[in-house]
């Protein structure tokens, strides 16, 4: 099942670029310096939402992680 994300990663990433407002509000409500682990971060669209946080992103899809690296 997971191999499908390896194949469609660039297209999937291109359709999942806009962060959800509720998640952004949550991240912006955290104290400066908080540590956040985004497990299943996909293309990393939330990793740069709040530069005052220490964020770590991980995903099972190597190709989606590569998309995150290119963006963030």
């Amino acid at each position: 099942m997971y191999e499908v994300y390896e194949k469609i990663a660039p297209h999937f990433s291109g359709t999942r670029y806009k962060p959800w407002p509720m998640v952004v509000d949550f991240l912006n409500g955290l104290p400066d310096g908080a540590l956040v682990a985004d497990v299943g971060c996909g293309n990393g669209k939330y990793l740069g939402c709040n530069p005052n946080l220490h964020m770590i992103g991980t995903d099972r899809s190597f190709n989606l992680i590569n998309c995150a690296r290119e963006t963030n």
Side-chain angles (χ1 to χ4, degrees), residues 18-29 45-46 49-50:
K18 187 174 180 185
W20 295 354
M22 288 178 61
V23 176
V24 173
D25 289 345
F26 169 77
L27 293 171
N28 287 332
K45 68 183 174 186
Y46 295 107
C49 286
N50 183 340

Side-chain angles (χ1 to χ4, degrees), residues 1 9 13 19 24-27 29 34 38 44-45 54 58 62-64 69:
M1 174 171 161
S13 179
V24 173
D25 289 345
F26 169 77
L27 293 171
D38 186 351
K45 68 183 174 186
H54 299 286
T58 184
F62 290 111
N63 289 335
L64 283 173
R69 284 185 181 132

Side-chain angles (χ1 to χ4, degrees), residues 29-48:
L30 295 174
D32 288 354
L35 177 62
V36 177
D38 186 351
V39 178
C41 71
N43 63 0
K45 68 183 174 186
Y46 295 107
L47 297 178

